[in-house]
Amino acid sequence: MGKLVIFSVAIAAFSVLLGERLLNMSKRYLAFREVGNQHLPNCVALKNIEHGSEDITILGNGLAFISSGLNYPGLPPSDEPGKIFLLDVKGPQLKPVELRISRNFDLESFNPHGISVFTDPSDDTVYLFVVNHPQFGSQIEIFKYVEEGASLVHLKTIKHELLHSVNDITAVGVESFFATNDHYFSNNLLKTLEILLLMPWTNVVYYSPNEVKVVSEGYHFANGINMSPDQRHIYVANIFNHSVEVLERKEDNTLTPVKSVPVGSLCDNIEVDPETGDLWLGCHINAKKLFLFDPKDPPGSEVIRIQNILSDQPVITQVYTDDGHVLMGSSVAAVYGEKLLIGTVFHKALCCDLK
């Protein structure tokens, strides 16, 4: 109730702001930027991906899971139910295959967002965690990947009052994970005002069958989340703060802030190279173009790499940029060897050579 009162007062104050002040604030936080093109060699569009590739995660054997078909308020809608694709990055044909999903799952309302994979060390079973927004709600689906027949068996749906606006997820066990909430409110109007007023009220939640708790808060739209290869640190994309937050994971799964790394862009999902620990970020150059979509002036794409993020001097590199005429609205970048997959919120996906 206290935050709602504060929010109401903030709305009143907001209503008297001068237009110029609002525009300057928007330019600062929503990254109204224009960039040139910085392409990579041998970029090829992935076949079958026509309705977005919001999130991508790659196993150590080169199998990439891709979520597609996200419908999200304010973005161009998809007219098809969501799908999960599988791509063998090592294979000669860059043709993702749609994974069949067991009949006990409602495919018509499937609206996949962030995804994460957990491999059970006891038997190598692969579990796929998917953020799902049926009827724009918020819940987590857990599937078991079955290699024979290229299918997903739906195991469980997780709902909880603390998981009210989940954006992304990083799995840490067969039924446990960290997740980001990208809004504080559930009402769409209040969600919009929350963004315009840049309220730092979003958070990170830890979930297990035995415990659910908020473990970090104070984010300007908490977005992508991932974990270091040694599982000791959690990384969160604080999108409207233009930063990646580094947090130390404690034994009780609480998170302690370590540092905030400025990236100078609106970075969406975070993927971590298991070999080097480098972070790969799919970023949005201009939020206005993303949410006020105009095909004649499309939103661009950007890929950022962060090396040595835990050191005193992380190295931040802009790896790829496009003005939107090749790739619109990049949301994720995942690397395997010398191959880079770039996914988008509602456009196609690319596979590029890094060398």
Side-chain angles (χ1 to χ4, degrees):
M1 178 63 69
K3 284 187 175 178
L4 185 58
V5 172
I6 294 172
F7 196 72
S8 299
V9 173
I11 291 175
F14 176 72
S15 65
V16 299
L17 285 175
L18 294 176
E20 183 178 356
R21 181 180 176 186
L22 175 60
L23 179 60
N24 290 338
M25 182 177 67
S26 298
K27 285 182 176 179
R28 176 185 175 189
Y29 288 98
L30 303 186
F32 289 3
R33 296 189 294 141
E34 301 292 341
V35 299
N37 294 325
Q38 178 183 330
H39 292 164
L40 290 166
N42 301 321
C43 285
V44 178
L46 298 183
K47 299 176 182 179
N48 295 338
I49 303 293
E50 300 176 354
H51 300 281
S53 43
E54 160 65 23
D55 204 2
I56 301 172
T57 186
I58 306 178
L59 294 175
N61 60 5
L63 292 180
F65 292 88
I66 304 170
S67 67
S68 179
L70 172 67
N71 274 303
Y72 194 84
L75 297 177
S78 171
D79 56 2
E80 292 192 8
K83 299 176 181 179
I84 301 294
F85 289 90
L86 186 73
L87 171 69
D88 185 355
V89 183
K90 306 188 308 299
Q93 294 185 341
L94 296 174
K95 187 176 181 179
V97 175
E98 181 184 350
L99 291 175
R100 293 186 301 107
I101 298 179
S102 56
R103 294 181 179 179
N104 65 333
F105 183 72
D106 182 6
L107 287 173
E108 290 300 316
S109 66
F110 191 33
N111 189 11
H113 202 163
I115 61 175
S116 181
V117 167
F118 179 79
T119 303
D120 191 338
S122 66
D123 59 8
D124 292 329
T125 299
V126 175
Y127 296 93
L128 178 68
F129 292 64
V130 182
V131 178
N132 185 19
H133 302 297
Q135 290 79 48
F136 298 110
S138 185
Q139 60 195 50
I140 309 300
E141 315 292 353
I142 302 179
F143 300 92
K144 181 174 72 172
Y145 168 62
V146 180
E147 185 175 1
E148 294 181 5
S151 64
L152 295 172
V153 176
H154 184 247
L155 301 178
K156 188 174 185 178
T157 295
I158 296 173
K159 299 179 182 180
H160 193 276
E161 60 182 5
L162 291 181
L163 300 169
H164 60 89
S165 185
V166 180
N167 185 297
D168 197 18
I169 186 171
T170 187
V172 295
V174 174
E175 291 187 29
S176 57
F177 54 84
F178 291 92
T180 56
N181 282 309
D182 56 20
H183 289 85
Y184 177 82
F185 293 107
S186 298
N187 178 275
N188 284 334
L189 175 59
L190 293 179
K191 281 184 174 183
T192 301
L193 291 172
E194 182 183 339
I195 291 177
L196 290 174
L197 293 171
L198 300 167
M199 294 300 187
W201 288 350
T202 63
N203 59 27
V204 178
V205 173
Y206 171 74
Y207 177 93
S208 75
N210 301 320
E211 184 179 30
V212 187
K213 58 186 178 182
V214 174
V215 290
S216 183
E217 53 191 341
Y219 296 88
H220 293 91
F221 199 104
N223 202 301
I225 186 170
N226 216 314
M227 184 168 53
S228 61
D230 63 8
Q231 302 184 14
R232 294 174 57 191
H233 292 90
I234 297 292
Y235 308 122
V236 179
N238 195 357
I239 190 166
F240 289 136
N241 195 52
H242 302 176
S243 63
V244 170
E245 309 304 320
V246 181
L247 305 116
E248 183 180 2
R249 180 187 178 194
K250 300 297 185 179
E251 289 186 6
D252 63 354
N253 288 301
T254 56
L255 301 178
T256 302
V258 174
K259 63 161 67 174
S260 179
V261 179
V263 292
S265 189
L266 296 163
C267 291
D268 199 321
N269 291 306
I270 301 172
E271 295 302 314
V272 178
D273 186 330
E275 300 297 327
T276 65
D278 295 350
L279 277 64
W280 290 83
L281 314 171
C283 306
H284 304 293
I285 296 169
N286 188 314
K288 178 183 177 182
K289 291 185 179 182
L290 182 69
F291 288 101
L292 300 176
F293 179 69
D294 178 359
K296 296 179 181 179
D297 188 20
S301 294
E302 182 177 32
V303 172
I304 290 175
R305 178 187 188 183
I306 305 178
Q307 298 168 278
N308 304 319
I309 191 168
L310 298 176
S311 71
D312 293 335
Q313 294 183 323
V315 178
I316 301 173
T317 307
Q318 189 184 62
V319 176
Y320 175 95
T321 59
D322 181 74
D323 61 9
H325 290 88
V326 172
L327 195 68
M328 293 186 285
S330 56
S331 57
V332 64
V335 67
Y336 183 81
E338 296 302 325
K339 297 289 187 181
L340 176 68
L341 300 183
I342 309 174
T344 63
V345 180
F346 55 82
H347 197 212
K348 59 188 177 183
L350 294 182
C351 180
C352 301
D353 291 339
L354 286 172
K355 291 186 179 179

